[in-house]
Amino acid sequence: MTKTALIIGVTSQDGSYLADLLLEKGYRVVGTIRRNTTYQKPNIQHLIGKIIIEAADLIDGESIARLLRDYQPDEVYNIAAQSVPADSWSHPLYTGEVTALGVVRVMEAVRHFAPQARVYQATSREIFGHVNADAATESTPIDANNPYGIAKAYAHMMTRCYRESYGLFACGGILFNHESPRRSLHFVTRKITAAVACIKNQVANPPLDELGRPLITPGGKLKLGFLEARRDWGYAKEYVEAMWLMLQNDEPKDYVIGTNSSYSVADACRIAFAHVGLDWREHVVSDEALLRPTEITVLQGDYSLAEKELGWRPRTSFEQLMQIMVDADLARFQ
């Protein structure tokens, strides 16, 4: 019997890779997009005609409930969110409405209209905030310190609440940073690889950064925030495999998904620019306008429980990931 999966937020990096994976496994895939006048979404152009696309929004609980009633999915993946930590400072109310309360709307719709469905909720490394440890596990205390992380912490705890209170098969994926060529330009790794491509290819009209400025200055400089910020970065295409595996498990659990390694923004610049024979120090500057009010401490994701119980482990190194992204952007920005 063909399984049906509902992906809330299919146009995202994770949503589109997850749709690819589920189609390969023979699922009927229903993916949501926010109401718009066009389906011209780069991450899902190759999926048009292969998946069912429905308009829904985490702010509109009825739009989610309708899909649960109509499709009776076997699996529900909530990937949607206001997903940019930096933007949560300028849009804290919207972040809470979508990233926190939106999850409750999903859980309520599942509880009332498709209680048999297995649910994956995307939470985040940001729920840990400042932690005095080398690596985070599933038992690491929650101590979020920015509006995005706090909203994700609420979402994570409500997922556990619905699992324990109503018996829903609901899992939280505590994912550390994960990147790919499908990552939005709001995120630093894509900013770096897109800038490398624009500089190398001498692009006359580069894309805009999150402040609405050309990504590359007339002098060929890329402006970034805190260059010594370190993150545990993995490959999104591999992380969606962990999402699927969680819902195939015998019992619902939360899992940390990471690589148990960390690299700085400066490391990412060095690798990306070196891939095309350039010295990053000649092209990258730190801009105070891009600094955050608070910065999370270095923390790596200990994926040992996921490896033990799900058989999941990262396969792509950070250097390989940055090179994959540079190559994709060299082809994209001509």
Side-chain angles (χ1 to χ4, degrees), residues 11 52 77 87 96 99 138 173 178 184 196 203 217 253 266 281 286:
T11 63
I52 301 167
Y77 297 85
D87 283 359
T99 305
E138 290 75 11
H178 47 292
S184 162
V196 167
V203 172
T217 69
K253 283 187 180 181
R281 292 167 293 187
S286 182

Side-chain angles (χ1 to χ4, degrees), residues 267-295:
D267 290 331
C269 292
R270 173 181 53 79
I271 294 167
F273 279 89
H275 189 53
V276 296
L278 298 175
D279 185 344
W280 73 275
R281 292 167 293 187
E282 297 177 2
H283 298 281
V284 178
V285 295
S286 182
D287 183 354
E288 287 189 4
L290 294 171
L291 298 178
R292 298 182 186 182
T294 61
E295 185 62 61

